[in-house]
């Protein structure tokens, strides 16, 4: 992972030269809670300006980076970082809590995230990801292996959103998935057992599982998270 990150920064420096302001690793990899089988390396790249010229220079770097299975980095101007905290409150709050500055200056530390925007976007993201999970599950319910993989793929997203739910609830919010799940169960009184089971699956430590039954319980857990966000 470290070699990929080092190579990425070198390629970005070569592509953008003096226009490159900052490169930030954020998310589970920045918190040393990354599962290589499931987790991505999430990158914020900040430039002085973004025009078709910069996008053209970015194309070979992005293609190289995506070949490792990573998502395309977020590309912002410095001005957009300062102006976007109300539009992307979860992303920037997450970056504030879990980030590594790979190059340049730290533009994230002093951003102000308004609670009203934060709570509303959190509820929306929980609902959107719940609806998306249902849509995807509807076409794999007869395939237990695919259904289990779908649930295991999604659990990290709900751990991230669950962490934000703790923050929005003024509760202690750890950064590691197991600790997040335990804190939600303790502080918010939500049954998080299905998410613990799915974390076991991701780690290859799960016992015999009936995917359809696990999926049904998992949906109930997510619906409880949504209801809690709605009532804040």
């Amino acid at each position: 992972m470290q070699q990929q990150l080092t190579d990425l920064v070198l390629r970005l420096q070569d592509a953008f030269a003096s226009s490159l302001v900052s490169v930030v690793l954020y998310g589970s990899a920045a918190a040393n809670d990354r599962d290589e089988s499931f987790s991505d390396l999430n990158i914020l790249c900040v430039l002085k300006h973004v025009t078709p010229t910069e996008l053209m220079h970015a194309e070979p770097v992005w293609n190289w980076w995506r070949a490792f299975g990573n998502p395309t980095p977020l590309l912002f101007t410095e001005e957009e970082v300062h102006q976007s905290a109300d539009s992307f409150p979860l992303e920037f709050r997450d970056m504030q809590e879990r980030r590594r500055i790979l190059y340049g200056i730290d533009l994230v530390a002093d951003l102000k995230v308004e609670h009203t925007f934060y709570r509303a976007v959190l509820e929306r993201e929980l609902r959107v990801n719940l609806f998306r999970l249902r849509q995807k599950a509807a076409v794999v319910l007869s395939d237990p292996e695919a259904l289990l993989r779908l649930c295991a793929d999604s659990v990290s997203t709900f751990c991230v959103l669950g962490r934000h739910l703790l923050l929005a609830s003024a509760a202690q919010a750890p950064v590691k998935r197991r600790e997040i799940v335990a804190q939600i169960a303790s502080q918010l009184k939500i049954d998080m057992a299905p998410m613990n089971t799915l974390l076991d699956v991701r780690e290859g430590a799960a016992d015999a599982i009936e995917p359809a039954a696990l999926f049904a319980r998992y949906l109930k857990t997510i619906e409880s998270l949504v209801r809690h966000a709605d009532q804040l």
Side-chain angles (χ1 to χ4, degrees):
M1 182 186 83
Q2 186 54 51
Q3 188 59 55
Q4 284 185 40
L5 295 173
T6 299
D7 290 347
L8 174 64
V9 170
L10 290 173
R11 289 168 185 261
L12 291 173
Q13 288 178 289
D14 184 59
F16 300 124
S18 61
S19 181
L20 185 63
V21 175
S22 183
V23 182
V24 183
L25 171 71
Y26 66 95
S28 59
N32 297 316
D33 192 32
R34 178 173 178 257
D35 182 337
E36 291 189 9
S37 299
F38 293 88
S39 299
D40 301 319
L41 295 177
N42 298 302
I43 298 292
L44 169 67
C45 180
V46 183
L47 303 179
K48 292 181 180 177
H49 36 75
V50 178
T51 71
T53 299
E54 280 73 36
L55 296 178
M56 180 179 66
H57 291 163
E59 182 179 1
V61 183
W62 285 186
N63 288 338
W64 168 81
W65 184 245
R66 286 170 57 84
F68 292 105
N70 297 310
T72 302
L74 296 176
L75 190 60
F76 279 62
T77 66
E78 187 171 356
E79 182 181 26
E80 286 169 342
V81 170
H82 292 295
Q83 294 178 344
S84 298
D86 55 348
S87 300
F88 302 98
L90 301 191
E91 290 82 356
F92 282 116
R93 185 72 179 268
D94 192 45
M95 289 181 201
Q96 287 181 326
E97 300 284 338
R98 306 187 298 174
R99 72 186 182 284
R100 278 174 53 195
I101 306 302
L102 304 178
Y103 173 88
I105 61 178
D106 188 350
L107 299 171
V108 176
D110 295 329
L111 289 177
K112 303 300 182 184
V113 177
E114 294 292 338
H115 181 77
T116 301
F117 295 118
Y118 182 58
R119 193 220 64 81
V121 172
L122 171 59
E123 181 183 345
R124 181 185 184 279
E125 286 300 307
L126 280 165
R127 292 188 185 278
V128 165
N129 280 279
L130 170 60
F131 299 156
R132 186 176 294 133
L133 178 64
R134 289 173 180 165
Q135 283 181 312
K136 292 181 178 180
V139 297
V140 297
L141 280 173
S142 62
D143 184 339
E145 184 176 341
L147 180 62
L148 186 60
R149 176 73 188 195
L150 171 65
C151 294
D153 282 342
S154 72
V155 73
S156 62
T157 295
F158 287 107
C159 283
V160 170
L161 294 174
R163 183 174 184 279
H164 285 290
L165 190 60
L166 288 167
L167 289 169
S169 304
Q172 182 181 357
V175 297
K176 295 188 179 296
R177 296 186 186 97
R178 293 284 187 183
E179 296 171 5
I180 292 167
V181 168
Q183 189 73 352
I184 293 172
S186 173
Q187 294 293 313
L188 308 186
K189 308 304 181 185
I190 294 174
D191 177 16
M192 301 297 286
M195 292 182 69
N196 266 321
T197 300
L198 289 169
L199 291 175
D200 289 339
V201 171
R202 290 168 66 98
E203 296 165 7
D207 296 326
I209 292 172
E210 208 295 293
L214 176 60
F215 173 66
R217 291 166 47 224
Y218 184 40
L219 284 183
K220 289 183 179 180
T221 293
I222 298 168
E223 289 162 1
S224 295
L225 296 175
V226 171
R227 281 194 297 272
H228 187 89
D230 181 62
Q231 293 167 4
L232 285 175

